[in-house]
Amino acid sequence: MFRAAAALITGLVLTGSATAQDGLLIGKWRTAAQSGVVEIHACGSALCGRVVDAAPLRRNPDQKDVRNRDPNLRERPLRGVRVLDGFTGGPTAWNGGPLYDPDSGQRAARGTLTLVERDRLSVRGCIAPLLCRTQTWTRIN
């Protein structure tokens, strides 16, 4: 009985610690392209990110995901599109994927998020081992 309780408490402490680390990324981030804003949020036990603003959305709030390589997804609204999915780790680097770039319609299977400073995030996605792209995002206060 004591061992089970100790294991439960240890699990809760470790879970709380991971959540605190993930909290470093939760919030809104300005992207490097189109004056975009991505909101990073918890999705289950991982982190995800969705488009909440961008220059095309300010011009046309009904903007669609027109550059998506999947023709079946081109009519979906751009606002709310998930661009980061399933990132876990911390305290300064998270791994996951896929990542999606609505500007190009490209999807990277895996990527990394690296907290460079409290308000700077390096976002790297790779579509092949040597074919990667990195952007720096800045936190919006």
PDB file of all heavy atoms in Angstrom, residues 6-40:
ATOM      1  N   ALA A   6       3.428   5.946  -2.710  1.00  0.00           N
ATOM      2  CA  ALA A   6       4.673   6.640  -3.049  1.00  0.00           C
ATOM      3  C   ALA A   6       4.832   6.750  -4.564  1.00  0.00           C
ATOM      4  O   ALA A   6       5.234   7.788  -5.086  1.00  0.00           O
ATOM      5  CB  ALA A   6       5.871   5.918  -2.438  1.00  0.00           C
ATOM      6  N   ALA A   7       4.483   5.684  -5.279  1.00  0.00           N
ATOM      7  CA  ALA A   7       4.583   5.717  -6.748  1.00  0.00           C
ATOM      8  C   ALA A   7       3.609   6.737  -7.324  1.00  0.00           C
ATOM      9  O   ALA A   7       3.938   7.476  -8.249  1.00  0.00           O
ATOM     10  CB  ALA A   7       4.303   4.333  -7.328  1.00  0.00           C
ATOM     11  N   LEU A   8       2.395   6.797  -6.759  1.00  0.00           N
ATOM     12  CA  LEU A   8       1.406   7.763  -7.219  1.00  0.00           C
ATOM     13  C   LEU A   8       1.885   9.195  -6.976  1.00  0.00           C
ATOM     14  O   LEU A   8       1.813  10.047  -7.856  1.00  0.00           O
ATOM     15  CB  LEU A   8       0.069   7.526  -6.517  1.00  0.00           C
ATOM     16  CG  LEU A   8      -1.049   8.501  -6.860  1.00  0.00           C
ATOM     17  CD1 LEU A   8      -1.384   8.425  -8.346  1.00  0.00           C
ATOM     18  CD2 LEU A   8      -2.266   8.223  -6.028  1.00  0.00           C
ATOM     19  N   ILE A   9       2.422   9.457  -5.795  1.00  0.00           N
ATOM     20  CA  ILE A   9       2.920  10.797  -5.474  1.00  0.00           C
ATOM     21  C   ILE A   9       4.087  11.166  -6.385  1.00  0.00           C
ATOM     22  O   ILE A   9       4.147  12.256  -6.935  1.00  0.00           O
ATOM     23  CB  ILE A   9       3.326  10.886  -3.986  1.00  0.00           C
ATOM     24  CG1 ILE A   9       2.061  10.841  -3.123  1.00  0.00           C
ATOM     25  CG2 ILE A   9       4.117  12.153  -3.699  1.00  0.00           C
ATOM     26  CD1 ILE A   9       2.316  10.666  -1.650  1.00  0.00           C
ATOM     27  N   THR A  10       5.013  10.212  -6.610  1.00  0.00           N
ATOM     28  CA  THR A  10       6.138  10.462  -7.511  1.00  0.00           C
ATOM     29  C   THR A  10       5.632  10.779  -8.906  1.00  0.00           C
ATOM     30  O   THR A  10       6.090  11.710  -9.556  1.00  0.00           O
ATOM     31  CB  THR A  10       7.092   9.253  -7.549  1.00  0.00           C
ATOM     32  OG1 THR A  10       7.556   9.017  -6.224  1.00  0.00           O
ATOM     33  CG2 THR A  10       8.258   9.490  -8.478  1.00  0.00           C
ATOM     34  N   GLY A  11       4.649  10.022  -9.383  1.00  0.00           N
ATOM     35  CA  GLY A  11       4.075  10.274 -10.706  1.00  0.00           C
ATOM     36  C   GLY A  11       3.443  11.641 -10.798  1.00  0.00           C
ATOM     37  O   GLY A  11       3.595  12.349 -11.786  1.00  0.00           O
ATOM     38  N   LEU A  12       2.739  12.053  -9.750  1.00  0.00           N
ATOM     39  CA  LEU A  12       2.119  13.372  -9.752  1.00  0.00           C
ATOM     40  C   LEU A  12       3.156  14.475  -9.746  1.00  0.00           C
ATOM     41  O   LEU A  12       3.011  15.479 -10.439  1.00  0.00           O
ATOM     42  CB  LEU A  12       1.189  13.515  -8.541  1.00  0.00           C
ATOM     43  CG  LEU A  12      -0.089  12.686  -8.581  1.00  0.00           C
ATOM     44  CD1 LEU A  12      -0.826  12.784  -7.250  1.00  0.00           C
ATOM     45  CD2 LEU A  12      -0.977  13.096  -9.722  1.00  0.00           C
ATOM     46  N   VAL A  13       4.221  14.304  -8.980  1.00  0.00           N
ATOM     47  CA  VAL A  13       5.290  15.301  -8.932  1.00  0.00           C
ATOM     48  C   VAL A  13       5.953  15.416 -10.294  1.00  0.00           C
ATOM     49  O   VAL A  13       6.180  16.494 -10.819  1.00  0.00           O
ATOM     50  CB  VAL A  13       6.310  14.974  -7.830  1.00  0.00           C
ATOM     51  CG1 VAL A  13       7.548  15.839  -7.962  1.00  0.00           C
ATOM     52  CG2 VAL A  13       5.687  15.144  -6.461  1.00  0.00           C
ATOM     53  N   LEU A  14       6.249  14.270 -10.927  1.00  0.00           N
ATOM     54  CA  LEU A  14       6.892  14.301 -12.238  1.00  0.00           C
ATOM     55  C   LEU A  14       5.966  14.910 -13.278  1.00  0.00           C
ATOM     56  O   LEU A  14       6.396  15.688 -14.121  1.00  0.00           O
ATOM     57  CB  LEU A  14       7.323  12.894 -12.661  1.00  0.00           C
ATOM     58  CG  LEU A  14       8.471  12.297 -11.865  1.00  0.00           C
ATOM     59  CD1 LEU A  14       8.719  10.864 -12.299  1.00  0.00           C
ATOM     60  CD2 LEU A  14       9.736  13.128 -12.004  1.00  0.00           C
ATOM     61  N   THR A  15       4.684  14.575 -13.227  1.00  0.00           N
ATOM     62  CA  THR A  15       3.737  15.151 -14.168  1.00  0.00           C
ATOM     63  C   THR A  15       3.649  16.656 -13.984  1.00  0.00           C
ATOM     64  O   THR A  15       3.662  17.415 -14.940  1.00  0.00           O
ATOM     65  CB  THR A  15       2.343  14.515 -13.975  1.00  0.00           C
ATOM     66  OG1 THR A  15       2.475  13.114 -14.183  1.00  0.00           O
ATOM     67  CG2 THR A  15       1.343  15.075 -14.946  1.00  0.00           C
ATOM     68  N   GLY A  16       3.593  17.103 -12.736  1.00  0.00           N
ATOM     69  CA  GLY A  16       3.545  18.537 -12.463  1.00  0.00           C
ATOM     70  C   GLY A  16       4.777  19.236 -12.985  1.00  0.00           C
ATOM     71  O   GLY A  16       4.706  20.316 -13.530  1.00  0.00           O
ATOM     72  N   SER A  17       5.925  18.607 -12.851  1.00  0.00           N
ATOM     73  CA  SER A  17       7.171  19.189 -13.328  1.00  0.00           C
ATOM     74  C   SER A  17       7.158  19.334 -14.847  1.00  0.00           C
ATOM     75  O   SER A  17       7.538  20.362 -15.379  1.00  0.00           O
ATOM     76  CB  SER A  17       8.344  18.314 -12.883  1.00  0.00           C
ATOM     77  OG  SER A  17       9.538  18.825 -13.395  1.00  0.00           O
ATOM     78  N   ALA A  18       6.711  18.303 -15.554  1.00  0.00           N
ATOM     79  CA  ALA A  18       6.649  18.377 -17.011  1.00  0.00           C
ATOM     80  C   ALA A  18       5.673  19.463 -17.447  1.00  0.00           C
ATOM     81  O   ALA A  18       5.939  20.198 -18.374  1.00  0.00           O
ATOM     82  CB  ALA A  18       6.249  17.026 -17.596  1.00  0.00           C
ATOM     83  N   THR A  19       4.571  19.573 -16.765  1.00  0.00           N
ATOM     84  CA  THR A  19       3.590  20.597 -17.105  1.00  0.00           C
ATOM     85  C   THR A  19       4.175  21.990 -16.896  1.00  0.00           C
ATOM     86  O   THR A  19       3.977  22.873 -17.706  1.00  0.00           O
ATOM     87  CB  THR A  19       2.313  20.419 -16.260  1.00  0.00           C
ATOM     88  OG1 THR A  19       1.805  19.112 -16.504  1.00  0.00           O
ATOM     89  CG2 THR A  19       1.265  21.429 -16.617  1.00  0.00           C
ATOM     90  N   ALA A  20       4.930  22.171 -15.819  1.00  0.00           N
ATOM     91  CA  ALA A  20       5.568  23.463 -15.563  1.00  0.00           C
ATOM     92  C   ALA A  20       6.561  23.791 -16.670  1.00  0.00           C
ATOM     93  O   ALA A  20       6.641  24.928 -17.128  1.00  0.00           O
ATOM     94  CB  ALA A  20       6.265  23.457 -14.203  1.00  0.00           C
ATOM     95  N   GLN A  21       7.317  22.795 -17.135  1.00  0.00           N
ATOM     96  CA  GLN A  21       8.277  23.029 -18.220  1.00  0.00           C
ATOM     97  C   GLN A  21       7.543  23.398 -19.500  1.00  0.00           C
ATOM     98  O   GLN A  21       7.941  24.314 -20.207  1.00  0.00           O
ATOM     99  CB  GLN A  21       9.129  21.777 -18.456  1.00  0.00           C
ATOM    100  CG  GLN A  21      10.089  21.491 -17.341  1.00  0.00           C
ATOM    101  CD  GLN A  21      10.800  20.173 -17.535  1.00  0.00           C
ATOM    102  OE1 GLN A  21      10.584  19.461 -18.501  1.00  0.00           O
ATOM    103  NE2 GLN A  21      11.659  19.848 -16.597  1.00  0.00           N
ATOM    104  N   ASP A  22       6.462  22.679 -19.802  1.00  0.00           N
ATOM    105  CA  ASP A  22       5.700  22.979 -21.005  1.00  0.00           C
ATOM    106  C   ASP A  22       5.092  24.374 -20.928  1.00  0.00           C
ATOM    107  O   ASP A  22       4.911  25.036 -21.935  1.00  0.00           O
ATOM    108  CB  ASP A  22       4.594  21.944 -21.211  1.00  0.00           C
ATOM    109  CG  ASP A  22       5.146  20.579 -21.599  1.00  0.00           C
ATOM    110  OD1 ASP A  22       6.334  20.485 -21.958  1.00  0.00           O
ATOM    111  OD2 ASP A  22       4.373  19.602 -21.530  1.00  0.00           O
ATOM    112  N   GLY A  23       4.785  24.819 -19.714  1.00  0.00           N
ATOM    113  CA  GLY A  23       4.206  26.142 -19.518  1.00  0.00           C
ATOM    114  C   GLY A  23       5.097  27.259 -20.024  1.00  0.00           C
ATOM    115  O   GLY A  23       4.630  28.362 -20.294  1.00  0.00           O
ATOM    116  N   LEU A  24       6.400  26.974 -20.161  1.00  0.00           N
ATOM    117  CA  LEU A  24       7.320  27.981 -20.690  1.00  0.00           C
ATOM    118  C   LEU A  24       6.956  28.380 -22.124  1.00  0.00           C
ATOM    119  O   LEU A  24       7.267  29.475 -22.562  1.00  0.00           O
ATOM    120  CB  LEU A  24       8.759  27.458 -20.659  1.00  0.00           C
ATOM    121  CG  LEU A  24       9.355  27.197 -19.284  1.00  0.00           C
ATOM    122  CD1 LEU A  24      10.701  26.497 -19.424  1.00  0.00           C
ATOM    123  CD2 LEU A  24       9.502  28.501 -18.513  1.00  0.00           C
ATOM    124  N   LEU A  25       6.330  27.472 -22.868  1.00  0.00           N
ATOM    125  CA  LEU A  25       5.994  27.750 -24.263  1.00  0.00           C
ATOM    126  C   LEU A  25       4.553  28.167 -24.478  1.00  0.00           C
ATOM    127  O   LEU A  25       4.221  28.737 -25.513  1.00  0.00           O
ATOM    128  CB  LEU A  25       6.270  26.511 -25.126  1.00  0.00           C
ATOM    129  CG  LEU A  25       7.703  26.040 -25.237  1.00  0.00           C
ATOM    130  CD1 LEU A  25       7.819  24.953 -26.283  1.00  0.00           C
ATOM    131  CD2 LEU A  25       8.642  27.174 -25.561  1.00  0.00           C
ATOM    132  N   ILE A  26       3.691  27.854 -23.531  1.00  0.00           N
ATOM    133  CA  ILE A  26       2.267  28.122 -23.716  1.00  0.00           C
ATOM    134  C   ILE A  26       2.033  29.628 -23.828  1.00  0.00           C
ATOM    135  O   ILE A  26       2.539  30.419 -23.042  1.00  0.00           O
ATOM    136  CB  ILE A  26       1.449  27.502 -22.572  1.00  0.00           C
ATOM    137  CG1 ILE A  26       1.497  25.978 -22.708  1.00  0.00           C
ATOM    138  CG2 ILE A  26       0.018  28.017 -22.571  1.00  0.00           C
ATOM    139  CD1 ILE A  26       0.822  25.222 -21.597  1.00  0.00           C
ATOM    140  N   GLY A  27       1.294  30.005 -24.864  1.00  0.00           N
ATOM    141  CA  GLY A  27       0.993  31.411 -25.115  1.00  0.00           C
ATOM    142  C   GLY A  27       1.062  31.720 -26.589  1.00  0.00           C
ATOM    143  O   GLY A  27       1.133  30.827 -27.435  1.00  0.00           O
ATOM    144  N   LYS A  28       1.068  33.009 -26.901  1.00  0.00           N
ATOM    145  CA  LYS A  28       1.067  33.459 -28.302  1.00  0.00           C
ATOM    146  C   LYS A  28       2.465  33.876 -28.722  1.00  0.00           C
ATOM    147  O   LYS A  28       3.177  34.543 -27.982  1.00  0.00           O
ATOM    148  CB  LYS A  28       0.081  34.611 -28.484  1.00  0.00           C
ATOM    149  CG  LYS A  28      -1.349  34.156 -28.288  1.00  0.00           C
ATOM    150  CD  LYS A  28      -2.315  35.287 -28.494  1.00  0.00           C
ATOM    151  CE  LYS A  28      -3.733  34.776 -28.277  1.00  0.00           C
ATOM    152  NZ  LYS A  28      -4.707  35.861 -28.365  1.00  0.00           N
ATOM    153  N   TRP A  29       2.811  33.469 -29.959  1.00  0.00           N
ATOM    154  CA  TRP A  29       4.133  33.724 -30.526  1.00  0.00           C
ATOM    155  C   TRP A  29       3.989  34.338 -31.911  1.00  0.00           C
ATOM    156  O   TRP A  29       3.190  33.876 -32.722  1.00  0.00           O
ATOM    157  CB  TRP A  29       4.918  32.413 -30.631  1.00  0.00           C
ATOM    158  CG  TRP A  29       5.215  31.803 -29.302  1.00  0.00           C
ATOM    159  CD1 TRP A  29       4.403  30.995 -28.558  1.00  0.00           C
ATOM    160  CD2 TRP A  29       6.414  31.960 -28.556  1.00  0.00           C
ATOM    161  NE1 TRP A  29       5.030  30.645 -27.399  1.00  0.00           N
ATOM    162  CE2 TRP A  29       6.267  31.219 -27.366  1.00  0.00           C
ATOM    163  CE3 TRP A  29       7.598  32.665 -28.772  1.00  0.00           C
ATOM    164  CZ2 TRP A  29       7.261  31.161 -26.399  1.00  0.00           C
ATOM    165  CZ3 TRP A  29       8.594  32.595 -27.809  1.00  0.00           C
ATOM    166  CH2 TRP A  29       8.421  31.856 -26.643  1.00  0.00           C
ATOM    167  N   ARG A  30       4.762  35.393 -32.179  1.00  0.00           N
ATOM    168  CA  ARG A  30       4.800  36.016 -33.506  1.00  0.00           C
ATOM    169  C   ARG A  30       5.755  35.211 -34.375  1.00  0.00           C
ATOM    170  O   ARG A  30       6.895  34.973 -33.994  1.00  0.00           O
ATOM    171  CB  ARG A  30       5.261  37.463 -33.413  1.00  0.00           C
ATOM    172  CG  ARG A  30       5.493  38.085 -34.754  1.00  0.00           C
ATOM    173  CD  ARG A  30       4.643  39.223 -35.180  1.00  0.00           C
ATOM    174  NE  ARG A  30       3.904  39.951 -34.185  1.00  0.00           N
ATOM    175  CZ  ARG A  30       2.569  40.085 -34.240  1.00  0.00           C
ATOM    176  NH1 ARG A  30       1.878  39.521 -35.202  1.00  0.00           N
ATOM    177  NH2 ARG A  30       1.939  40.788 -33.329  1.00  0.00           N
ATOM    178  N   THR A  31       5.279  34.798 -35.540  1.00  0.00           N
ATOM    179  CA  THR A  31       6.097  34.005 -36.454  1.00  0.00           C
ATOM    180  C   THR A  31       6.949  34.917 -37.331  1.00  0.00           C
ATOM    181  O   THR A  31       6.777  36.133 -37.326  1.00  0.00           O
ATOM    182  CB  THR A  31       5.222  33.106 -37.346  1.00  0.00           C
ATOM    183  OG1 THR A  31       4.484  33.924 -38.257  1.00  0.00           O
ATOM    184  CG2 THR A  31       4.268  32.256 -36.512  1.00  0.00           C
ATOM    185  N   ALA A  32       7.818  34.311 -38.106  1.00  0.00           N
ATOM    186  CA  ALA A  32       8.715  35.071 -38.973  1.00  0.00           C
ATOM    187  C   ALA A  32       8.055  35.453 -40.289  1.00  0.00           C
ATOM    188  O   ALA A  32       8.582  36.275 -41.022  1.00  0.00           O
ATOM    189  CB  ALA A  32       9.976  34.259 -39.241  1.00  0.00           C
ATOM    190  N   ALA A  33       6.918  34.874 -40.608  1.00  0.00           N
ATOM    191  CA  ALA A  33       6.290  35.126 -41.902  1.00  0.00           C
ATOM    192  C   ALA A  33       4.887  35.695 -41.741  1.00  0.00           C
ATOM    193  O   ALA A  33       4.149  35.300 -40.833  1.00  0.00           O
ATOM    194  CB  ALA A  33       6.218  33.825 -42.697  1.00  0.00           C
ATOM    195  N   GLN A  34       4.515  36.621 -42.602  1.00  0.00           N
ATOM    196  CA  GLN A  34       3.166  37.160 -42.719  1.00  0.00           C
ATOM    197  C   GLN A  34       2.639  37.784 -41.421  1.00  0.00           C
ATOM    198  O   GLN A  34       1.429  37.823 -41.204  1.00  0.00           O
ATOM    199  CB  GLN A  34       2.196  36.052 -43.159  1.00  0.00           C
ATOM    200  CG  GLN A  34       2.549  35.385 -44.439  1.00  0.00           C
ATOM    201  CD  GLN A  34       1.886  36.038 -45.637  1.00  0.00           C
ATOM    202  OE1 GLN A  34       1.165  37.013 -45.513  1.00  0.00           O
ATOM    203  NE2 GLN A  34       2.145  35.496 -46.800  1.00  0.00           N
ATOM    204  N   SER A  35       3.530  38.226 -40.541  1.00  0.00           N
ATOM    205  CA  SER A  35       3.108  38.768 -39.243  1.00  0.00           C
ATOM    206  C   SER A  35       2.137  37.817 -38.549  1.00  0.00           C
ATOM    207  O   SER A  35       1.152  38.233 -37.949  1.00  0.00           O
ATOM    208  CB  SER A  35       2.451  40.140 -39.399  1.00  0.00           C
ATOM    209  OG  SER A  35       3.380  41.061 -39.898  1.00  0.00           O
ATOM    210  N   GLY A  36       2.426  36.535 -38.690  1.00  0.00           N
ATOM    211  CA  GLY A  36       1.548  35.516 -38.135  1.00  0.00           C
ATOM    212  C   GLY A  36       1.655  35.414 -36.626  1.00  0.00           C
ATOM    213  O   GLY A  36       2.649  35.813 -36.026  1.00  0.00           O
ATOM    214  N   VAL A  37       0.600  34.876 -36.032  1.00  0.00           N
ATOM    215  CA  VAL A  37       0.584  34.595 -34.602  1.00  0.00           C
ATOM    216  C   VAL A  37       0.110  33.154 -34.431  1.00  0.00           C
ATOM    217  O   VAL A  37      -0.944  32.773 -34.955  1.00  0.00           O
ATOM    218  CB  VAL A  37      -0.350  35.548 -33.828  1.00  0.00           C
ATOM    219  CG1 VAL A  37      -0.399  35.167 -32.351  1.00  0.00           C
ATOM    220  CG2 VAL A  37       0.106  36.991 -33.998  1.00  0.00           C
ATOM    221  N   VAL A  38       0.922  32.371 -33.711  1.00  0.00           N
ATOM    222  CA  VAL A  38       0.573  30.997 -33.381  1.00  0.00           C
ATOM    223  C   VAL A  38       0.402  30.914 -31.879  1.00  0.00           C
ATOM    224  O   VAL A  38       1.230  31.433 -31.123  1.00  0.00           O
ATOM    225  CB  VAL A  38       1.680  30.014 -33.848  1.00  0.00           C
ATOM    226  CG1 VAL A  38       1.446  28.623 -33.287  1.00  0.00           C
ATOM    227  CG2 VAL A  38       1.746  29.980 -35.368  1.00  0.00           C
ATOM    228  N   GLU A  39      -0.681  30.292 -31.461  1.00  0.00           N
ATOM    229  CA  GLU A  39      -0.915  30.071 -30.039  1.00  0.00           C
ATOM    230  C   GLU A  39      -0.512  28.637 -29.710  1.00  0.00           C
ATOM    231  O   GLU A  39      -1.070  27.685 -30.259  1.00  0.00           O
ATOM    232  CB  GLU A  39      -2.370  30.294 -29.685  1.00  0.00           C
ATOM    233  CG  GLU A  39      -2.647  30.094 -28.203  1.00  0.00           C
ATOM    234  CD  GLU A  39      -4.088  30.371 -27.839  1.00  0.00           C
ATOM    235  OE1 GLU A  39      -4.985  30.117 -28.661  1.00  0.00           O
ATOM    236  OE2 GLU A  39      -4.306  30.855 -26.718  1.00  0.00           O
ATOM    237  N   ILE A  40       0.485  28.502 -28.821  1.00  0.00           N
ATOM    238  CA  ILE A  40       0.906  27.184 -28.360  1.00  0.00           C
ATOM    239  C   ILE A  40       0.083  26.846 -27.127  1.00  0.00           C
ATOM    240  O   ILE A  40      -0.076  27.673 -26.222  1.00  0.00           O
ATOM    241  CB  ILE A  40       2.418  27.157 -28.061  1.00  0.00           C
ATOM    242  CG1 ILE A  40       3.203  27.420 -29.360  1.00  0.00           C
ATOM    243  CG2 ILE A  40       2.819  25.820 -27.444  1.00  0.00           C
ATOM    244  CD1 ILE A  40       4.704  27.454 -29.195  1.00  0.00           C
TER     245      ILE A  40
END
